[in-house]
Amino acid sequence: MKYSPKLLLYILMLSSLAINTPLSIIGIISQISQYFSTSIAVSGLYVSSFTFTIAVCGLFVPVLFSKYERKRVFLFILSVFAISNIAIIFTKSIIVASFFRILSAVFYPAFISIGLTVCEEIAPEGEKQDYITKILLGISVGSIVGLPITTGLGTIFGYQAAMSWIFAINFLALVLIFIFFPKIPGRQENEMPLSALRSKEFILASVAIIMMPIGASIVYNYLPYFLQTVSHIYTYKLSIFLFTYGIFSIAGTWLGGKLIVWKDKATLIIFQLVCGFVFLALYFSADYRPLVLALVLVFGILDGMGYNLIQYIETSVLFFNLELANGVFLSILNGGIALGIAIGGFLVDGFGVMSIFIFGFAFLIIAFFMLVYVIYGLKINLKYS
């Protein structure tokens, strides 16, 4: 069956956006608390359960699904999301809602991982990274655009309205896959290559790059608190600025894909230094609001680039099994974010909000030295070098 690679790319991009929208409920924690009659702490666990599940399941679920026909896998996973969202909309039990939220998160890594793999398989020669970048853009847009929509609907109309929008966008992706997506065979060999996961190159590369989302997440997740308490930016001004930050982050994802193809080694190494020194500059210029806002927007670009860098390293090290590589990418990304949130909370409580910049810098400098060793000492094979 003939198909247009561009059409499949944009369907997968929209679908990636759709199944990333469950992450956007972070903006309606208070509405979740009211709807289920639970504490803010319990509601926070309900929200974060999605990310923690992805971090764990990304290591093995994509490989388990890699042998099956691609369209069937996509339809199955989107159906799970649709059924889970319906249950979440109508249940009044946070335990039941948590079960279905975790259930859908179990299959999330398989969808994104196989979607990235399909993009590499169908992309015309010389356009592989562009195709991958567009899927990563879908993930990024799902969070950035989904957040204000979900927050707005939840604030005005309540929790059920917000979850109904998430169901609708997921169901649209299901319909598009069903109508327009062709049957694409799965991978014949789908065994977990444990020897590769024990290799020195994989372990050190993975430890190095998980420092990136940890360091970025320590800063990113507490930026609103910093902007409110130190820079004194409140209410609608803060919302507008954070949305602008999101737009810059989307641009950074696109830029990261371009820079990797152009100069992959330099991009991987210099990124850590630039981002680290942006954090130091924020620490020392906290009293100068215009400079702070400019530096935060620069960080937005760098934050968006991180998606490409992590995915690129893992698919270079585990080039023989793309589903596994992309699954590890999702585990590292989400695990690093979860660890960063936890570490940042401890720092803010124990040392004050300004400490996030020092520790964010420290994690990125560790990543810098480790990547220099992995790239130039161990001489790992990068795809575009």
Side-chain angles (χ1 to χ4, degrees):
M1 178 180 178
K2 291 185 178 181
Y3 55 82
S4 165
K6 287 286 186 184
L7 175 62
L8 300 193
L9 169 64
Y10 288 115
I11 290 173
L12 287 172
M13 185 177 176
L14 176 64
S15 300
S16 300
L17 182 158
I19 72 166
N20 217 54
T21 51
L23 291 167
S24 66
I25 68 170
I26 191 171
I28 58 168
I29 286 181
S30 61
Q31 285 75 25
I32 293 169
S33 178
Q34 292 171 11
Y35 181 80
F36 290 112
S37 300
T38 59
S39 66
I40 293 294
V42 171
S43 300
L45 288 174
Y46 170 68
V47 171
S48 62
S49 64
F50 197 84
T51 304
F52 280 110
T53 305
I54 293 170
V56 174
C57 294
L59 295 172
F60 61 90
V61 171
V63 177
L64 297 178
F65 279 87
S66 63
K67 69 177 180 179
Y68 298 109
E69 192 270 313
R70 309 304 198 188
K71 180 175 182 176
R72 186 179 300 175
V73 170
F74 291 148
L75 290 175
F76 170 75
I77 294 173
L78 289 170
S79 296
V80 170
F81 268 75
I83 294 168
S84 296
N85 284 326
I86 290 172
I88 287 169
I89 290 169
F90 292 106
T91 184
K92 292 290 291 184
S93 167
I94 197 167
I95 295 175
V96 173
S98 297
F99 169 79
F100 281 101
R101 183 165 171 80
I102 291 170
L103 177 65
S104 56
V106 167
F107 298 104
Y108 173 100
F111 189 99
I112 297 297
S113 174
I114 294 173
L116 287 166
T117 301
V118 169
C119 280
E120 291 211 44
E121 293 171 349
I122 66 173
E125 192 63 33
E127 295 185 42
K128 290 184 184 295
Q129 194 61 42
D130 284 340
Y131 272 52
I132 290 168
T133 297
K134 285 185 170 66
I135 299 299
L136 298 177
L137 279 171
I139 297 172
S140 181
V141 171
S143 298
I144 292 164
V145 175
L147 180 60
I149 294 174
T150 304
T151 303
L153 288 172
T155 302
I156 298 169
F157 300 107
Y159 168 77
Q160 286 181 307
M163 300 311 298
S164 296
W165 128 258
I166 292 174
F167 165 77
I169 191 72
N170 277 268
F171 187 73
L172 173 61
L174 174 63
V175 171
L176 290 175
I177 293 282
F178 179 76
I179 295 174
F180 296 108
F181 212 86
K183 291 184 176 180
I184 300 176
R187 184 186 296 274
Q188 296 302 311
E189 299 293 332
N190 72 318
E191 293 182 359
M192 180 77 80
L194 295 177
S195 59
L197 299 182
R198 292 194 295 263
S199 71
K200 184 178 181 180
E201 291 79 7
F202 169 76
I203 292 172
L204 290 179
S206 297
V207 171
I209 58 175
I210 199 173
M211 298 295 170
M212 292 164 52
I214 291 175
S217 184
I218 286 173
V219 173
Y220 169 75
N221 285 284
Y222 298 93
L223 268 181
Y225 183 72
F226 163 76
L227 292 171
Q228 288 174 321
T229 58
V230 178
S231 299
H232 306 296
I233 301 171
Y234 307 103
T235 61
Y236 72 93
K237 291 182 180 179
L238 179 61
S239 298
I240 292 171
F241 181 72
L242 291 176
F243 184 76
T244 305
Y245 173 98
I247 299 301
F248 274 68
S249 181
I250 292 171
T253 302
W254 173 84
L255 178 63
K258 297 295 183 184
L259 290 175
I260 282 174
V261 175
W262 180 53
K263 293 284 186 181
D264 54 358
K265 290 180 180 178
T267 301
L268 290 167
I269 296 301
I270 294 173
F271 170 88
Q272 320 300 326
L273 292 178
V274 173
C275 194
F277 283 108
V278 166
F279 290 167
L280 278 187
L282 281 166
Y283 180 83
F284 288 109
S285 63
D287 295 329
Y288 303 96
R289 186 188 294 179
L291 181 56
V292 165
L293 297 181
L295 287 168
V296 170
L297 293 180
V298 172
F299 171 51
I301 294 173
L302 296 168
D303 193 25
M305 289 176 60
Y307 287 85
N308 272 290
L309 303 186
I310 298 170
Q311 195 270 346
Y312 178 67
I313 290 179
E314 288 302 342
T315 52
S316 293
V317 176
L318 301 173
F319 62 91
F320 48 84
N321 193 316
L322 293 177
E323 287 89 356
L324 175 62
N326 289 317
V328 171
F329 151 66
L330 292 169
S331 290
I332 285 175
L333 176 64
N334 287 279
I337 290 171
L339 287 170
I341 292 171
I343 294 170
F346 169 78
L347 292 172
V348 171
D349 284 343
F351 303 99
V353 69
M354 296 305 296
S355 64
I356 63 175
F357 300 116
I358 297 299
F359 280 83
F361 170 80
F363 275 97
L364 287 167
I365 292 302
I366 292 170
F368 166 75
F369 284 113
M370 290 191 70
L371 281 174
V372 168
Y373 175 69
V374 168
I375 292 173
Y376 294 103
L378 298 181
K379 294 182 168 48
I380 64 168
N381 293 318
L382 298 172
K383 287 190 290 185
Y384 302 126
S385 292

